[in-house]
Amino acid sequence: MINEQSWDEIQKSLKVGTKLKEIVTKHWPFGIFVTLPGIKFMGLVELPHFKDEGDMFPSDYPAVGSSVDVVVLAFKETGQQIWLDMRPSQLNQSK
């Protein structure tokens, strides 16, 4: 069931640094989108936020439908997206 919280309520309840386990829903040249359970807004992991070192390419993306660990990085007002990070260094520091 989708949570009908407003964008402002989501930003207050989902804290930056929170670790989540999410499902990959779309691939794009700039990153991947993931679902956030109970939230109607999409999460986005951009290319620089996959690996601590080395380049990331769309061919390296986790498969659509796979589960990934992510950390809430920021909130993008335009398009109301939740920016996420999946670099090991960030996952190890998260709650």
Side-chain angles (χ1 to χ4, degrees), residues 50-70:
F50 280 92
K51 295 180 175 181
D52 287 316
E53 295 179 17
D55 293 329
M56 181 71 180
F57 301 97
S59 59
D60 299 327
Y61 288 166
V64 170
S66 65
S67 178
V68 293
D69 290 324
V70 294

Side-chain angles (χ1 to χ4, degrees), residues 23-75:
I23 304 296
V24 177
T25 58
K26 295 179 190 173
H27 289 178
W28 287 94
F30 54 82
I32 62 170
F33 284 95
V34 300
T35 59
L36 298 167
I39 297 176
K40 64 182 176 179
F41 303 100
M42 296 297 292
L44 170 64
V45 181
E46 293 184 304
L47 285 175
H49 301 288
F50 280 92
K51 295 180 175 181
D52 287 316
E53 295 179 17
D55 293 329
M56 181 71 180
F57 301 97
S59 59
D60 299 327
Y61 288 166
V64 170
S66 65
S67 178
V68 293
D69 290 324
V70 294
V71 175
V72 177
L73 183 63
F75 298 91

